[in-house]
Amino acid sequence: EAQVTQNPRYLITVTGKKLTVTCSQNMNHEYMSWYRQDPGLGLRQIYYSMNVEVTDKGDVPEGYKVSRKEKRNFPLILESPSPNQTSLYFCASSLGGQQETQYFGPGTRLLVL
Amino acid sequence: AQKVTQAQTEISVVEKEDVTLDCVYETRDTTYYLFWYKQPPSGELVFLIRRNSFDEQNEISGRYSWNFQKSTSSFNFTITASQVVDSAVYFCALSESTGNQFYFGTGTSLTVIP
């Protein structure tokens, strides 16, 4: 089944404790992206990747890192999480770029205490 | 400036009523793409439609229809004869040919009352 998977689905952590949210797609998609969803703000793009080893900042990259060492994986790293990073995070992928339809993972709900 | 504006934060309708969700976008590109996604209470994001800037034909898919008007930079979504299962948050989104980003609106929460 074609899908985008994220792990973990739920995470409670404390300020400053490094964490990684994994994202994997099995559709051989070139473009992958991370978003955060907050009430009243919709979804905002954190980082995106056009291909392996090619990543770039979205609208809200502060406090996040990403890497794209393999085509299928695009982990989101929070080196020192803070409470303002409490949010719902979505990973997405598309075949050729941002102009193509993006398919989303199930979301990761993160609470930073 | 917001690239995609969904001015309606929340809408409530009674079942079987028609409802239109508004989306206004802003871009200087001549080539761009518009999308609608649905987020039901279960939380996943479901793709509904993709439209490129050169195709202004209205689209109909069952009870769903979309009205794309470049003159007013709008891409509105209408649900005909709404059903309780239509209750969800609906997001309009834009991608441009320049740059590689993707922009969502803030979403419209639709509640269909039985």
Side-chain angles (χ1 to χ4, degrees):
Chain A
E1 180 190 354
Q3 59 183 350
V4 179
T5 57
Q6 295 178 228
N7 282 292
R9 295 287 314 278
Y10 304 91
L11 180 60
I12 301 174
T13 190
V14 295
T15 299
K17 186 176 181 182
K18 180 180 179 179
L19 67 92
T20 299
V21 184
T22 64
C23 174
S24 183
Q25 51 92 4
N26 62 1
M27 298 170 279
N28 202 36
H29 283 174
E30 303 281 339
Y31 185 89
M32 296 186 74
S33 185
W34 277 103
Y35 300 85
R36 59 177 291 173
Q37 182 179 3
D38 302 289
L41 298 177
L43 284 89
R44 294 176 292 166
Q45 195 172 36
I46 303 171
Y47 270 95
Y48 60 90
S49 169
M50 295 297 291
N51 211 328
V52 175
E53 303 291 3
V54 180
T55 63
D56 210 342
K57 297 177 181 178
D59 283 336
V60 288
E62 296 78 19
Y64 304 95
K65 283 176 60 178
V66 293
S67 68
R68 187 96 181 270
K69 296 177 182 176
E70 305 167 282
K71 197 171 187 179
R72 62 183 293 129
N73 296 323
F74 190 45
L76 179 69
I77 303 156
L78 285 71
E79 294 269 1
S80 183
S82 62
N84 65 12
Q85 292 179 297
T86 292
S87 188
L88 176 58
Y89 292 88
F90 286 99
C91 180
S93 72
S94 68
L95 184 61
Q98 83 288 357
Q99 73 277 14
E100 304 285 344
T101 299
Q102 290 188 65
Y103 297 93
F104 285 80
T108 295
R109 192 166 291 280
L110 172 65
L111 172 61
V112 183
L113 300 173
Chain B
Q2 192 76 7
K3 290 267 191 185
V4 179
T5 300
Q6 294 180 257
Q8 304 153 308
T9 305
E10 296 180 359
I11 299 176
S12 291
V13 298
V14 176
E15 198 169 23
K16 298 184 182 176
E17 286 184 346
D18 298 349
V19 58
T20 295
L21 309 183
D22 297 333
C23 174
V24 174
Y25 62 91
E26 180 181 331
T27 181
R28 294 181 179 177
D29 287 10
T30 54
T31 303
Y32 52 90
Y33 301 83
L34 295 163
F35 303 78
W36 276 94
Y37 283 84
K38 174 182 180 180
Q39 187 178 41
S42 51
E44 72 272 23
L45 283 156
V46 179
F47 165 75
L48 295 178
I49 190 170
R50 170 182 179 265
R51 176 54 55 89
N52 74 58
S53 53
F54 297 105
D55 182 3
E56 284 195 78
Q57 276 194 327
N58 290 334
E59 174 123 359
I60 298 175
S61 175
R63 295 185 296 106
Y64 294 172
S65 62
W66 290 268
N67 185 335
F68 177 28
Q69 291 198 336
K70 289 175 78 169
S71 61
T72 55
S73 296
S74 65
F75 187 43
N76 296 337
F77 173 31
T78 297
I79 302 174
T80 303
S82 59
Q83 299 177 2
V84 172
V85 293
D86 296 327
S87 296
V89 180
Y90 292 86
F91 291 99
C92 181
L94 164 75
S95 69
E96 301 168 310
S97 56
T98 56
N100 299 305
Q101 289 185 253
F102 200 83
Y103 304 97
F104 279 91
T106 52
T108 297
S109 177
L110 173 66
T111 300
V112 180
I113 303 164

Short mmCIF file of all heavy atoms in Angstrom, two decimals, chain A residues 5-65:
data_model
loop_
_atom_site.label_atom_id
_atom_site.label_comp_id
_atom_site.label_asym_id
_atom_site.label_seq_id
_atom_site.Cartn_x
_atom_site.Cartn_y
_atom_site.Cartn_z
N THR A 5 4.47 7.21 6.28
CA THR A 5 4.38 6.81 7.68
C THR A 5 5.20 7.76 8.54
O THR A 5 6.24 8.27 8.11
CB THR A 5 4.86 5.37 7.90
OG1 THR A 5 6.20 5.25 7.42
CG2 THR A 5 3.97 4.39 7.15
N GLN A 6 4.72 7.98 9.73
CA GLN A 6 5.40 8.83 10.70
C GLN A 6 5.46 8.10 12.02
O GLN A 6 4.49 7.44 12.42
CB GLN A 6 4.64 10.15 10.92
CG GLN A 6 4.53 11.07 9.77
CD GLN A 6 3.72 12.31 10.09
OE1 GLN A 6 2.85 12.69 9.33
NE2 GLN A 6 4.04 12.98 11.20
N ASN A 7 6.56 8.29 12.71
CA ASN A 7 6.69 7.75 14.06
C ASN A 7 7.53 8.68 14.93
O ASN A 7 8.50 9.26 14.45
CB ASN A 7 7.37 6.37 14.01
CG ASN A 7 6.39 5.31 13.58
OD1 ASN A 7 5.46 4.97 14.31
ND2 ASN A 7 6.57 4.81 12.38
N PRO A 8 7.12 8.83 16.20
CA PRO A 8 5.91 8.25 16.80
C PRO A 8 4.66 9.04 16.44
O PRO A 8 4.75 10.11 15.83
CB PRO A 8 6.21 8.38 18.31
CG PRO A 8 7.03 9.63 18.40
CD PRO A 8 7.90 9.64 17.15
N ARG A 9 3.51 8.53 16.76
CA ARG A 9 2.27 9.25 16.52
C ARG A 9 1.98 10.25 17.64
O ARG A 9 1.37 11.30 17.40
CB ARG A 9 1.11 8.27 16.42
CG ARG A 9 1.19 7.32 15.24
CD ARG A 9 0.90 8.04 13.93
NE ARG A 9 -0.26 8.90 14.01
CZ ARG A 9 -1.50 8.47 13.88
NH1 ARG A 9 -1.75 7.19 13.65
NH2 ARG A 9 -2.51 9.33 13.96
N TYR A 10 2.41 9.92 18.82
CA TYR A 10 2.22 10.81 19.97
C TYR A 10 3.52 10.83 20.76
O TYR A 10 4.18 9.80 20.92
CB TYR A 10 1.08 10.31 20.87
CG TYR A 10 -0.22 10.13 20.16
CD1 TYR A 10 -0.56 8.91 19.58
CD2 TYR A 10 -1.11 11.18 20.04
CE1 TYR A 10 -1.75 8.76 18.91
CE2 TYR A 10 -2.31 11.03 19.37
CZ TYR A 10 -2.62 9.82 18.80
OH TYR A 10 -3.81 9.67 18.14
N LEU A 11 3.86 12.01 21.26
CA LEU A 11 5.10 12.13 22.01
C LEU A 11 4.96 13.25 23.03
O LEU A 11 4.58 14.37 22.69
CB LEU A 11 6.26 12.42 21.07
CG LEU A 11 7.64 12.57 21.70
CD1 LEU A 11 8.04 11.30 22.44
CD2 LEU A 11 8.68 12.89 20.62
N ILE A 12 5.30 12.91 24.27
CA ILE A 12 5.40 13.91 25.33
C ILE A 12 6.85 13.95 25.76
O ILE A 12 7.43 12.91 26.07
CB ILE A 12 4.49 13.56 26.54
CG1 ILE A 12 3.03 13.46 26.09
CG2 ILE A 12 4.64 14.61 27.63
CD1 ILE A 12 2.09 12.98 27.17
N THR A 13 7.42 15.13 25.78
CA THR A 13 8.81 15.26 26.16
C THR A 13 9.00 16.51 27.03
O THR A 13 8.03 17.22 27.33
CB THR A 13 9.70 15.33 24.92
OG1 THR A 13 11.08 15.23 25.30
CG2 THR A 13 9.49 16.64 24.15
N VAL A 14 10.22 16.74 27.41
CA VAL A 14 10.52 17.91 28.25
C VAL A 14 11.43 18.86 27.48
O VAL A 14 12.15 18.46 26.56
CB VAL A 14 11.18 17.50 29.57
CG1 VAL A 14 10.20 16.69 30.42
CG2 VAL A 14 12.46 16.72 29.34
N THR A 15 11.40 20.09 27.89
CA THR A 15 12.22 21.11 27.25
C THR A 15 13.68 20.70 27.23
O THR A 15 14.23 20.26 28.23
CB THR A 15 12.07 22.44 28.02
OG1 THR A 15 10.70 22.84 27.98
CG2 THR A 15 12.94 23.52 27.42
N GLY A 16 14.27 20.84 26.03
CA GLY A 16 15.70 20.59 25.88
C GLY A 16 16.11 19.18 25.56
O GLY A 16 17.28 18.94 25.24
N LYS A 17 15.20 18.25 25.59
CA LYS A 17 15.56 16.85 25.32
C LYS A 17 15.40 16.57 23.82
O LYS A 17 14.28 16.51 23.31
CB LYS A 17 14.69 15.91 26.13
CG LYS A 17 15.09 14.46 26.00
CD LYS A 17 14.26 13.58 26.91
CE LYS A 17 14.69 12.13 26.80
NZ LYS A 17 13.86 11.24 27.65
N LYS A 18 16.51 16.33 23.16
CA LYS A 18 16.51 16.13 21.71
C LYS A 18 15.58 15.01 21.29
O LYS A 18 15.51 13.96 21.95
CB LYS A 18 17.93 15.82 21.24
CG LYS A 18 18.06 15.60 19.74
CD LYS A 18 19.51 15.30 19.35
CE LYS A 18 19.64 15.04 17.85
NZ LYS A 18 21.04 14.76 17.46
N LEU A 19 14.88 15.22 20.19
CA LEU A 19 14.00 14.18 19.67
C LEU A 19 14.01 14.19 18.15
O LEU A 19 14.32 15.20 17.51
CB LEU A 19 12.58 14.37 20.22
CG LEU A 19 11.81 15.59 19.77
CD1 LEU A 19 10.97 15.28 18.52
CD2 LEU A 19 10.87 16.07 20.88
N THR A 20 13.63 13.04 17.61
CA THR A 20 13.52 12.89 16.16
C THR A 20 12.18 12.27 15.83
O THR A 20 11.79 11.28 16.45
CB THR A 20 14.65 11.99 15.61
OG1 THR A 20 15.92 12.59 15.89
CG2 THR A 20 14.50 11.79 14.11
N VAL A 21 11.51 12.85 14.86
CA VAL A 21 10.29 12.28 14.32
C VAL A 21 10.62 11.73 12.94
O VAL A 21 11.13 12.47 12.08
CB VAL A 21 9.16 13.32 14.23
CG1 VAL A 21 7.87 12.66 13.75
CG2 VAL A 21 8.93 14.00 15.57
N THR A 22 10.37 10.47 12.75
CA THR A 22 10.73 9.87 11.47
C THR A 22 9.59 9.98 10.46
O THR A 22 8.41 10.04 10.84
CB THR A 22 11.12 8.40 11.62
OG1 THR A 22 9.97 7.67 12.08
CG2 THR A 22 12.25 8.24 12.62
N CYS A 23 9.95 10.02 9.20
CA CYS A 23 8.99 10.05 8.11
C CYS A 23 9.54 9.18 6.99
O CYS A 23 10.71 9.34 6.60
CB CYS A 23 8.78 11.47 7.62
SG CYS A 23 7.73 11.57 6.13
N SER A 24 8.68 8.32 6.47
CA SER A 24 9.11 7.45 5.39
C SER A 24 7.99 7.30 4.38
O SER A 24 6.81 7.22 4.75
CB SER A 24 9.49 6.08 5.96
OG SER A 24 9.96 5.23 4.95
N GLN A 25 8.36 7.28 3.10
CA GLN A 25 7.36 7.06 2.04
C GLN A 25 7.85 5.95 1.12
O GLN A 25 9.05 5.81 0.90
CB GLN A 25 7.08 8.36 1.26
CG GLN A 25 8.31 9.09 0.75
CD GLN A 25 8.76 8.75 -0.63
OE1 GLN A 25 8.11 7.96 -1.34
NE2 GLN A 25 9.89 9.32 -1.04
N ASN A 26 6.88 5.18 0.60
CA ASN A 26 7.22 4.03 -0.24
C ASN A 26 6.78 4.23 -1.69
O ASN A 26 6.54 3.26 -2.41
CB ASN A 26 6.61 2.76 0.34
CG ASN A 26 5.09 2.81 0.40
OD1 ASN A 26 4.48 3.80 -0.03
ND2 ASN A 26 4.48 1.77 0.91
N MET A 27 6.65 5.49 -2.10
CA MET A 27 6.15 5.80 -3.44
C MET A 27 7.22 6.33 -4.37
O MET A 27 6.92 6.78 -5.48
CB MET A 27 5.01 6.82 -3.30
CG MET A 27 3.82 6.29 -2.51
SD MET A 27 2.60 7.54 -2.10
CE MET A 27 3.35 8.31 -0.67
N ASN A 28 8.46 6.30 -3.93
CA ASN A 28 9.57 6.80 -4.74
C ASN A 28 9.41 8.28 -5.10
O ASN A 28 9.80 8.73 -6.18
CB ASN A 28 9.76 5.97 -6.02
CG ASN A 28 11.17 6.10 -6.58
OD1 ASN A 28 12.15 6.20 -5.84
ND2 ASN A 28 11.29 6.10 -7.90
N HIS A 29 8.82 9.02 -4.18
CA HIS A 29 8.59 10.44 -4.41
C HIS A 29 9.86 11.24 -4.25
O HIS A 29 10.68 10.98 -3.38
CB HIS A 29 7.51 10.97 -3.45
CG HIS A 29 6.14 10.58 -3.85
ND1 HIS A 29 5.04 10.85 -3.08
CD2 HIS A 29 5.66 9.96 -4.96
CE1 HIS A 29 3.95 10.42 -3.68
NE2 HIS A 29 4.30 9.87 -4.82
N GLU A 30 9.98 12.29 -5.09
CA GLU A 30 11.14 13.16 -5.03
C GLU A 30 11.01 14.18 -3.90
O GLU A 30 11.95 14.47 -3.19
CB GLU A 30 11.29 13.92 -6.35
CG GLU A 30 11.40 13.05 -7.58
CD GLU A 30 12.80 12.49 -7.76
OE1 GLU A 30 13.75 13.06 -7.20
OE2 GLU A 30 12.94 11.45 -8.43
N TYR A 31 9.83 14.76 -3.77
CA TYR A 31 9.61 15.90 -2.88
C TYR A 31 9.04 15.41 -1.55
O TYR A 31 8.09 14.63 -1.51
CB TYR A 31 8.62 16.86 -3.55
CG TYR A 31 8.35 18.16 -2.84
CD1 TYR A 31 9.13 19.29 -3.08
CD2 TYR A 31 7.27 18.30 -1.97
CE1 TYR A 31 8.85 20.51 -2.48
CE2 TYR A 31 6.98 19.51 -1.36
CZ TYR A 31 7.78 20.62 -1.61
OH TYR A 31 7.50 21.83 -1.02
N MET A 32 9.65 15.87 -0.46
CA MET A 32 9.12 15.60 0.86
C MET A 32 9.13 16.88 1.68
O MET A 32 9.94 17.79 1.42
CB MET A 32 9.94 14.51 1.57
CG MET A 32 9.86 13.16 0.86
SD MET A 32 10.66 11.82 1.75
CE MET A 32 9.46 11.52 3.08
N SER A 33 8.22 16.94 2.64
CA SER A 33 8.04 18.21 3.36
C SER A 33 7.51 17.95 4.76
O SER A 33 6.84 16.94 5.00
CB SER A 33 7.07 19.08 2.57
OG SER A 33 6.95 20.36 3.16
N TRP A 34 7.80 18.86 5.65
CA TRP A 34 7.26 18.84 7.00
C TRP A 34 6.44 20.09 7.24
O TRP A 34 6.83 21.21 6.85
CB TRP A 34 8.39 18.79 8.04
CG TRP A 34 8.90 17.42 8.30
CD1 TRP A 34 10.05 16.87 7.84
CD2 TRP A 34 8.27 16.42 9.10
NE1 TRP A 34 10.18 15.59 8.30
CE2 TRP A 34 9.10 15.28 9.08
CE3 TRP A 34 7.09 16.37 9.85
CZ2 TRP A 34 8.79 14.12 9.77
CZ3 TRP A 34 6.77 15.21 10.54
CH2 TRP A 34 7.62 14.10 10.49
N TYR A 35 5.30 19.89 7.94
CA TYR A 35 4.41 20.99 8.31
C TYR A 35 4.08 20.87 9.79
O TYR A 35 4.06 19.78 10.35
CB TYR A 35 3.10 20.92 7.52
CG TYR A 35 3.28 21.00 6.03
CD1 TYR A 35 3.55 19.86 5.29
CD2 TYR A 35 3.17 22.21 5.37
CE1 TYR A 35 3.71 19.92 3.91
CE2 TYR A 35 3.34 22.29 3.99
CZ TYR A 35 3.60 21.15 3.29
OH TYR A 35 3.78 21.22 1.93
N ARG A 36 3.77 22.00 10.37
CA ARG A 36 3.17 21.99 11.68
C ARG A 36 1.79 22.64 11.61
O ARG A 36 1.58 23.59 10.84
CB ARG A 36 4.04 22.70 12.72
CG ARG A 36 4.35 24.14 12.47
CD ARG A 36 5.18 24.74 13.62
NE ARG A 36 4.40 24.88 14.85
CZ ARG A 36 4.91 25.24 16.04
NH1 ARG A 36 6.20 25.49 16.14
NH2 ARG A 36 4.14 25.34 17.10
N GLN A 37 0.87 22.10 12.37
CA GLN A 37 -0.49 22.62 12.38
C GLN A 37 -0.83 23.14 13.76
O GLN A 37 -0.73 22.41 14.75
CB GLN A 37 -1.51 21.54 11.99
CG GLN A 37 -2.93 22.06 11.94
CD GLN A 37 -3.93 21.02 11.53
OE1 GLN A 37 -3.59 19.85 11.31
NE2 GLN A 37 -5.19 21.41 11.38
N ASP A 38 -1.21 24.39 13.82
CA ASP A 38 -1.57 25.03 15.08
C ASP A 38 -2.93 25.69 14.93
O ASP A 38 -3.26 26.21 13.87
CB ASP A 38 -0.51 26.07 15.47
CG ASP A 38 0.87 25.48 15.59
OD1 ASP A 38 1.08 24.73 16.56
OD2 ASP A 38 1.74 25.75 14.73
N PRO A 39 -3.72 25.72 16.00
CA PRO A 39 -5.06 26.30 15.93
C PRO A 39 -5.03 27.74 15.42
O PRO A 39 -4.26 28.57 15.89
CB PRO A 39 -5.54 26.24 17.38
CG PRO A 39 -4.77 25.11 17.98
CD PRO A 39 -3.42 25.15 17.32
N GLY A 40 -5.88 28.00 14.45
CA GLY A 40 -5.98 29.34 13.89
C GLY A 40 -4.90 29.72 12.90
O GLY A 40 -4.98 30.77 12.26
N LEU A 41 -3.91 28.87 12.76
CA LEU A 41 -2.79 29.18 11.85
C LEU A 41 -2.72 28.24 10.66
O LEU A 41 -1.89 28.43 9.77
CB LEU A 41 -1.46 29.14 12.62
CG LEU A 41 -1.33 30.15 13.76
CD1 LEU A 41 0.01 29.95 14.48
CD2 LEU A 41 -1.43 31.58 13.24
N GLY A 42 -3.54 27.25 10.63
CA GLY A 42 -3.49 26.30 9.53
C GLY A 42 -2.21 25.48 9.57
O GLY A 42 -1.63 25.25 10.64
N LEU A 43 -1.77 25.04 8.43
CA LEU A 43 -0.52 24.29 8.32
C LEU A 43 0.55 25.23 7.78
O LEU A 43 0.32 25.95 6.80
CB LEU A 43 -0.66 23.09 7.38
CG LEU A 43 -1.41 21.90 7.92
CD1 LEU A 43 -2.89 22.02 7.64
CD2 LEU A 43 -0.87 20.61 7.30
N ARG A 44 1.69 25.17 8.39
CA ARG A 44 2.82 25.98 7.94
C ARG A 44 4.00 25.07 7.64
O ARG A 44 4.31 24.17 8.42
CB ARG A 44 3.18 27.02 9.01
CG ARG A 44 2.09 28.06 9.24
CD ARG A 44 2.47 29.01 10.37
NE ARG A 44 2.50 28.32 11.65
CZ ARG A 44 3.04 28.82 12.76
NH1 ARG A 44 3.63 30.02 12.73
NH2 ARG A 44 3.02 28.13 13.89
N GLN A 45 4.67 25.38 6.57
CA GLN A 45 5.76 24.53 6.10
C GLN A 45 7.02 24.82 6.90
O GLN A 45 7.44 25.96 7.04
CB GLN A 45 5.99 24.75 4.61
CG GLN A 45 6.83 23.69 3.95
CD GLN A 45 6.86 23.84 2.43
OE1 GLN A 45 6.86 24.95 1.91
NE2 GLN A 45 6.87 22.72 1.73
N ILE A 46 7.65 23.75 7.38
CA ILE A 46 8.87 23.90 8.19
C ILE A 46 10.10 23.76 7.30
O ILE A 46 10.94 24.67 7.24
CB ILE A 46 8.90 22.82 9.29
CG1 ILE A 46 7.66 22.89 10.17
CG2 ILE A 46 10.16 22.97 10.14
CD1 ILE A 46 7.52 21.73 11.14
N TYR A 47 10.24 22.64 6.64
CA TYR A 47 11.32 22.35 5.72
C TYR A 47 10.76 21.50 4.58
O TYR A 47 9.76 20.82 4.75
CB TYR A 47 12.44 21.55 6.40
CG TYR A 47 13.53 22.39 7.04
CD1 TYR A 47 13.47 22.70 8.40
CD2 TYR A 47 14.62 22.83 6.30
CE1 TYR A 47 14.47 23.46 8.99
CE2 TYR A 47 15.63 23.58 6.90
CZ TYR A 47 15.54 23.89 8.24
OH TYR A 47 16.53 24.64 8.84
N TYR A 48 11.46 21.54 3.47
CA TYR A 48 11.12 20.66 2.38
C TYR A 48 12.40 20.16 1.72
O TYR A 48 13.48 20.72 1.92
CB TYR A 48 10.21 21.35 1.36
CG TYR A 48 10.80 22.58 0.71
CD1 TYR A 48 11.54 22.48 -0.47
CD2 TYR A 48 10.60 23.84 1.27
CE1 TYR A 48 12.07 23.61 -1.06
CE2 TYR A 48 11.13 24.96 0.68
CZ TYR A 48 11.86 24.85 -0.48
OH TYR A 48 12.39 25.98 -1.06
N SER A 49 12.23 19.13 0.92
CA SER A 49 13.38 18.54 0.23
C SER A 49 12.97 18.18 -1.18
O SER A 49 11.97 17.49 -1.39
CB SER A 49 13.85 17.29 0.97
OG SER A 49 14.78 16.58 0.20
N MET A 50 13.74 18.67 -2.13
CA MET A 50 13.44 18.39 -3.53
C MET A 50 14.00 17.04 -3.96
O MET A 50 13.53 16.47 -4.95
CB MET A 50 14.01 19.48 -4.43
CG MET A 50 13.38 20.85 -4.22
SD MET A 50 11.62 20.86 -4.62
CE MET A 50 11.70 20.65 -6.40
N ASN A 51 15.00 16.57 -3.25
CA ASN A 51 15.62 15.27 -3.59
C ASN A 51 16.66 14.94 -2.54
O ASN A 51 16.88 15.72 -1.59
CB ASN A 51 16.25 15.33 -4.98
CG ASN A 51 16.22 13.99 -5.69
OD1 ASN A 51 16.29 12.93 -5.05
ND2 ASN A 51 16.10 14.01 -6.98
N VAL A 52 17.32 13.82 -2.70
CA VAL A 52 18.34 13.41 -1.74
C VAL A 52 19.39 14.50 -1.61
O VAL A 52 19.85 15.04 -2.62
CB VAL A 52 18.97 12.08 -2.18
CG1 VAL A 52 20.11 11.70 -1.25
CG2 VAL A 52 17.91 10.98 -2.21
N GLU A 53 19.73 14.80 -0.38
CA GLU A 53 20.76 15.79 -0.04
C GLU A 53 20.39 17.22 -0.42
O GLU A 53 21.22 18.11 -0.35
CB GLU A 53 22.11 15.43 -0.67
CG GLU A 53 22.65 14.06 -0.30
CD GLU A 53 23.08 13.94 1.17
OE1 GLU A 53 22.91 14.91 1.95
OE2 GLU A 53 23.55 12.86 1.55
N VAL A 54 19.12 17.46 -0.79
CA VAL A 54 18.67 18.81 -1.13
C VAL A 54 17.53 19.19 -0.21
O VAL A 54 16.42 18.65 -0.33
CB VAL A 54 18.20 18.90 -2.60
CG1 VAL A 54 17.75 20.34 -2.91
CG2 VAL A 54 19.29 18.46 -3.55
N THR A 55 17.80 20.08 0.73
CA THR A 55 16.76 20.52 1.66
C THR A 55 16.74 22.04 1.71
O THR A 55 17.75 22.69 1.42
CB THR A 55 16.98 19.97 3.08
OG1 THR A 55 18.20 20.49 3.60
CG2 THR A 55 17.03 18.45 3.08
N ASP A 56 15.60 22.58 2.10
CA ASP A 56 15.50 24.04 2.17
C ASP A 56 14.45 24.43 3.19
O ASP A 56 13.56 23.64 3.53
CB ASP A 56 15.16 24.63 0.80
CG ASP A 56 15.75 26.04 0.64
OD1 ASP A 56 16.12 26.66 1.66
OD2 ASP A 56 15.84 26.51 -0.51
N LYS A 57 14.57 25.66 3.67
CA LYS A 57 13.68 26.15 4.70
C LYS A 57 12.32 26.54 4.15
O LYS A 57 12.22 27.08 3.05
CB LYS A 57 14.30 27.39 5.37
CG LYS A 57 15.61 27.12 6.07
CD LYS A 57 16.20 28.40 6.63
CE LYS A 57 17.54 28.13 7.31
NZ LYS A 57 18.16 29.36 7.82
N GLY A 58 11.31 26.26 4.96
CA GLY A 58 9.98 26.76 4.67
C GLY A 58 9.73 28.05 5.42
O GLY A 58 10.66 28.83 5.64
N ASP A 59 8.52 28.24 5.87
CA ASP A 59 8.18 29.49 6.55
C ASP A 59 8.56 29.53 8.01
O ASP A 59 8.77 30.61 8.57
CB ASP A 59 6.66 29.73 6.44
CG ASP A 59 6.26 30.22 5.06
OD1 ASP A 59 7.13 30.80 4.37
OD2 ASP A 59 5.09 30.05 4.68
N VAL A 60 8.65 28.37 8.66
CA VAL A 60 8.90 28.35 10.11
C VAL A 60 9.99 27.35 10.46
O VAL A 60 9.77 26.39 11.22
CB VAL A 60 7.60 28.06 10.90
CG1 VAL A 60 6.68 29.25 10.86
CG2 VAL A 60 6.90 26.81 10.36
N PRO A 61 11.23 27.53 9.98
CA PRO A 61 12.28 26.54 10.21
C PRO A 61 13.00 26.64 11.55
O PRO A 61 13.74 25.71 11.93
CB PRO A 61 13.26 26.85 9.08
CG PRO A 61 13.12 28.34 8.90
CD PRO A 61 11.65 28.64 9.13
N GLU A 62 12.81 27.72 12.28
CA GLU A 62 13.60 27.95 13.50
C GLU A 62 13.34 26.84 14.51
O GLU A 62 12.20 26.53 14.86
CB GLU A 62 13.25 29.31 14.12
CG GLU A 62 13.60 30.51 13.26
CD GLU A 62 12.60 30.76 12.14
OE1 GLU A 62 11.46 30.24 12.25
OE2 GLU A 62 12.95 31.44 11.18
N GLY A 63 14.42 26.28 15.03
CA GLY A 63 14.32 25.23 16.04
C GLY A 63 14.23 23.83 15.49
O GLY A 63 14.13 22.88 16.27
N TYR A 64 14.28 23.69 14.18
CA TYR A 64 14.17 22.38 13.54
C TYR A 64 15.35 22.11 12.63
O TYR A 64 15.98 23.03 12.11
CB TYR A 64 12.89 22.30 12.69
CG TYR A 64 11.62 22.60 13.44
CD1 TYR A 64 11.07 23.88 13.43
CD2 TYR A 64 10.96 21.60 14.16
CE1 TYR A 64 9.90 24.17 14.11
CE2 TYR A 64 9.79 21.88 14.85
CZ TYR A 64 9.27 23.17 14.81
OH TYR A 64 8.11 23.45 15.50
N LYS A 65 15.64 20.83 12.45
CA LYS A 65 16.61 20.40 11.46
C LYS A 65 16.01 19.22 10.71
O LYS A 65 15.14 18.50 11.24
CB LYS A 65 17.91 19.94 12.13
CG LYS A 65 18.79 21.06 12.62
CD LYS A 65 20.00 20.51 13.36
CE LYS A 65 20.85 19.61 12.51
NZ LYS A 65 22.06 19.11 13.22
#
